[in-house]
Amino acid sequence: MAAEAQPLLGRDRGGGQAHSGADQELCIDQAVVFIEDAIKYRSIYHRLDAGSLWLYRWYYSNVCQRVLGFTIFLILALAFVEVPSSFTRTADVRYRSQPWQPPCGLTETIEALCLLVFLADLSVKGYLVGQAQLQQNLWLLAYFVVLVVSVVDWIVSLSLNCEESLRVRRLLRPFFLLQNSSMMKKTLKCIRWSLPEMASVGLLLTIHLCLFTVIGMLLFTIAEKDEAQNKERLTYFRNLPEALTSLLVLLTTSNNPDVMIPAYTQNRAYALFFIIFTLIGSLFLMNLLTAIIYNQFRGYLMKSLQTSLFRRRLGARAAYEVLTLQAGPNGTTSELVGVNPENFLRVLQKTQLNKIHKQAIIQKVHSYEGRPILADEFQKLFDEVDKGIVKERPPKPQYQSPFLQTAQFIFSHRYFDYLGNLIALGNLLSICVPGAGLKPAAWGTERLCPGDSQLHFHLVLPAGAAVQGVRAGPTGLPVLPQQRVRWPPDHHPAGFGDFYSGRVPIAAPRMVCDCREPGDTTWPVTCLTAPRKPEQYGPLSLWDMTRLVNILIVIRFLRIIPSIKPTAVVASTILGLIQNLRAFGGILVVVYYVFAMIGINLFRGVIVPPGNSSLVPDNSSAPCGSFEQLGYWPNNFDDFAAALITLWDVMVVNNWQVILEAYKHYSGPWSMVYFVLWWLVSSVIWINLFLALLLENFLHRWDPQGHKQLLVGTKQITYEMSVELMFRDILEEPKEEELMEKLHKHPHLHLCR
């Protein structure tokens, strides 16, 4: 395929072949940038002169990208500091103290610096892509509009002495996170493409909900003289909005069986209405929505990944074209057109690439034994960068000493691991066994032991030895009769950490205490829930260290996971999902941020403490199961952190009808629109989209064909595919004609035939 094509060279704004050293060096730099673009799935439509290439690589360097990422994080984190500040110990309106409010100009100065960074980012991007590409790039145009609106709103804020009621720029901040991630852009595009199919199922849900609402109102208002049925009607079917809300909440099964009990108490046949509604709505239509979203989103995701694959092939093909051999070493035309391996190795040394991936590509290049690399071979070289590497353990060291060889055999045997797991299980059980040495009646008092009893501490060592007789001094520190004990010892500053840092399973020491009368020799019990008073024992007392050690023992029990193969596969899959689903996490952050800001502007100050408003009933007079009776006061929108937690509680949909009714009572029925929209976006759309990719990832990882192995030298390395490579088997490889057509349309790259 490559042999039939004419040899080509790439030059910026010029024709002719590159024979000079400067031109050859420019081709090398162009190939480096093209390969980095292919690896990162970036567009190659940017300037290619020497100065622009230097600026381009500097912009995409680790330092610049980390500065940009930190700036995005900083401007998003300002929401916790700005008015209303989240710097209070509790979000409960009954106990919340007056938060610290930053002076006007403090957060605005930080925000101005962030906006300057974004302005520089936009300027560099606009220059590199050129004016023609800038006018066609909707994301860059939106970037410019968002910056202009943010700057104008920032100026208005300072002119009003930071006392404006609405800051529009807060709602626009998540855009900076979106535009900086290509995978998030693809995910957002897939969601937009999937909305019509979601809307069709949503229409079925709406019809189902309205139909059963009307039937329910007719069913429970036939015999109005019946007191029980009247109670059901007045409680859940008072009017159309109340009935619609009740069945909408029942669709999430949050108020089941509360909504059914009044009617079911009167007549057991009424249960069929609610069962049929739940079967059709929750078990059939909602799961059908999940299936449709999975099918549609998987297709649209593959379209997006098809675009990524095309960018990979286009960047690699561009690098191939600028490196293609023109002539042999003596000026004679080469019989086989391709890339000189030596030139490609020069390019590879300049390319920013993972060391292990680079080593794998170099090994493949050496396997060609100096012959030119053809186009299809050149493309396959970069498949290595899609593979996540799982390193094997290093080989065991070789010892000459018979004692060390014996110790190595014993401690590296799998039975020794089983022994460590058994000891970890024993430690966990010893923590979970409750003791009787500390009576609950004595907890929380100033004197932990009644009468003249003494509080003794023991450090139980693995061998069973104990240092006993340690008596608590007046400051709460353990004191021996002859000397003061310092914990941890000076010669062992790491404390208990060494027992958990290595693979050798050592029985961990534990702190135990007991209340005993003089002369009493009863066994001590583990200090699991022993009380502590900060003013009495100091900031870090022996009680705190006891709890810390117990926590380390519990965490140490996780060492059994690698020993159980199915559990190890699931654990590795979960860890892989954390990396592969970062785009979905970013979309969720954006949605949370926008809804939290909207909620603050709509509901800030709506929830007031009891006694401060005639709308707030006394806790004793509040209805059972209400917002006030359940103590849901921290679920408010008075600051950004509280708004995030409130949105999370609604997304989980457990008792979300309580929050729904409370804000309907305090702010009006229009508030239900906000919470229902949030439920649709978060719990219906996003959760189902997350489940779609989650299923695909699990199915791939549990497929034995999804794991491949590659020998690099004498070391075997196991590879696992990333999200981009997950669908590679069913993606269509772009044709050479399509690639060459796109390359010839490049505004800054001129290919000579």
Side-chain angles (χ1 to χ4, degrees), residues 135-263:
Q135 295 175 354
Q136 299 176 3
N137 195 316
L138 296 180
W139 279 101
L140 291 181
L141 293 177
Y143 198 180
F144 175 75
V145 173
V146 169
L147 280 178
V148 170
V149 174
S150 299
V151 171
V152 172
D153 191 65
W154 181 83
I155 295 174
V156 172
S157 179
L158 287 183
S159 63
L160 296 178
N161 199 22
C162 307
E163 295 181 358
E164 74 281 11
S165 58
L166 176 64
R167 294 187 179 183
V168 180
R169 63 186 186 275
R170 289 184 178 181
L171 297 173
L172 302 178
R173 288 174 183 172
F175 178 84
F176 301 126
L177 178 62
L178 277 176
Q179 64 85 28
N180 196 50
S181 173
S182 59
M183 194 60 194
M184 287 179 63
K185 294 177 185 177
K186 293 182 177 63
T187 304
L188 193 63
K189 184 182 296 184
C190 294
I191 294 175
R192 179 172 59 85
W193 286 342
S194 302
L195 284 179
E197 286 74 17
M198 299 181 196
S200 62
V201 183
L203 180 61
L204 289 177
L205 282 172
T206 303
I207 295 174
H208 166 72
L209 188 62
C210 294
L211 179 63
F212 272 82
T213 299
V214 175
I215 294 175
M217 292 187 65
L218 295 175
L219 184 64
F220 299 118
T221 56
I222 294 177
E224 296 186 2
K225 296 181 179 180
D226 194 330
E227 182 180 356
Q229 289 185 349
N230 193 45
K231 177 183 177 182
E232 167 70 10
R233 179 179 65 85
L234 294 178
T235 303
Y236 297 105
F237 294 89
R238 182 184 299 113
N239 48 47
L240 183 61
E242 291 288 342
L244 194 62
T245 303
S246 300
L247 292 184
L248 176 64
V249 175
L250 181 60
L251 198 62
T252 65
T253 67
S254 181
N255 60 349
N256 183 69
D258 297 345
V259 68
M260 183 186 70
I261 289 300

Side-chain angles (χ1 to χ4, degrees), residues 60 289 520 536:
Y60 282 107
L289 177 65
D520 188 8
Q536 181 178 356

Side-chain angles (χ1 to χ4, degrees), residues 441-453:
W443 294 355
T445 59
E446 292 188 4
R447 302 187 64 183
L448 301 180
C449 301
D452 295 331
S453 60

Side-chain angles (χ1 to χ4, degrees), residues 13 21 56 71 325 397 470 536 720 733:
R13 299 296 184 189
Y56 187 84
T71 305
L325 290 177
V470 183
Q536 181 178 356
E720 292 183 357
E733 285 287 338

Side-chain angles (χ1 to χ4, degrees), residues 319-340:
Y320 174 83
E321 294 298 337
V322 300
L323 291 176
T324 302
L325 290 177
Q326 291 272 318
N330 299 325
T332 60
T333 303
S334 176
E335 297 181 357
L336 189 61
V337 177
V339 173
N340 188 338

Side-chain angles (χ1 to χ4, degrees), residues 306-603:
Q306 183 73 50
T307 303
S308 297
L309 177 62
F310 187 84
R311 284 190 173 186
R312 165 69 58 83
R313 298 303 186 223
L314 185 62
R317 181 68 187 199
Y320 174 83
E321 294 298 337
V322 300
L323 291 176
T324 302
L325 290 177
Q326 291 272 318
N330 299 325
T332 60
T333 303
S334 176
E335 297 181 357
L336 189 61
V337 177
V339 173
N340 188 338
E342 295 182 0
N343 291 338
F344 178 70
L345 291 178
R346 288 177 57 194
V347 171
L348 202 61
Q349 293 300 326
K350 291 186 175 183
T351 305
Q352 294 181 358
L353 187 61
N354 183 279
K355 182 178 179 181
I356 299 180
H357 289 151
K358 185 180 294 187
Q359 180 184 2
I361 295 176
I362 292 175
Q363 292 289 340
K364 278 196 170 183
V365 172
H366 288 323
S367 66
Y368 296 127
E369 298 179 351
R371 69 172 178 83
I373 306 173
L374 302 182
D376 53 346
E377 298 171 338
F378 193 83
Q379 292 282 9
K380 292 179 180 179
L381 289 175
F382 301 102
D383 289 341
E384 301 298 323
V385 300
D386 277 333
K387 301 174 182 178
I389 301 164
V390 181
K391 300 179 182 178
E392 293 186 348
R393 293 178 180 176
K396 297 179 182 179
Q398 301 294 328
Y399 298 107
Q400 300 297 329
S401 171
F403 173 76
L404 293 179
Q405 292 178 356
T406 304
Q408 184 186 50
F409 173 78
I410 295 175
F411 292 117
S412 62
H413 199 276
R414 66 177 185 274
Y415 288 147
F416 193 78
D417 286 338
Y418 297 157
L419 176 62
N421 295 337
L422 184 63
I423 293 176
L425 177 61
N427 288 335
L428 184 64
L429 294 177
S430 67
I431 292 178
C432 297
V433 174
L438 287 175
K439 297 182 179 180
W443 294 355
T445 59
E446 292 188 4
R447 302 187 64 183
L448 301 180
C449 301
D452 295 331
S453 60
Q454 301 173 352
L455 182 62
H456 295 263
F457 294 90
H458 309 262
L459 178 62
V460 181
L461 301 177
V467 181
Q468 301 186 1
V470 183
R471 182 174 181 178
T475 61
L477 296 176
V479 180
L480 284 172
Q482 292 85 10
Q483 60 180 341
R484 180 179 297 273
V485 176
R486 182 179 180 86
W487 185 262
D490 292 333
H491 65 277
H492 201 328
F496 294 107
D498 290 347
F499 288 98
Y500 302 94
S501 59
R503 296 182 64 252
V504 179
I506 302 178
R510 53 192 174 92
M511 296 290 184
V512 296
C513 61
D514 67 305
C515 294
R516 58 177 70 181
E517 300 294 335
D520 188 8
T521 58
T522 58
W523 288 99
V525 297
T526 305
C527 298
L528 291 177
T529 55
R532 169 188 174 272
K533 291 190 175 183
E535 65 275 7
Q536 181 178 356
Y537 297 107
L540 183 61
S541 65
L542 192 60
W543 304 100
D544 295 324
M545 298 182 64
T546 301
R547 292 184 176 91
L548 178 61
V549 171
N550 289 331
I551 291 174
L552 293 176
I553 292 176
V554 172
I555 296 176
R556 187 171 184 255
F557 184 69
L558 298 178
R559 73 189 307 275
I560 70 169
I561 291 179
S563 302
I564 307 174
K565 291 185 178 180
T567 307
V569 172
V570 174
S572 63
T573 303
I574 294 175
L575 293 178
L577 287 174
I578 295 176
Q579 298 178 351
N580 293 336
L581 300 179
R582 286 179 298 180
F584 276 82
I587 296 294
L588 186 62
V589 169
V590 170
V591 173
Y592 259 94
Y593 201 98
V594 172
F595 270 85
M597 284 301 174
I598 295 175
I600 290 174
N601 290 303
L602 293 178
F603 307 116

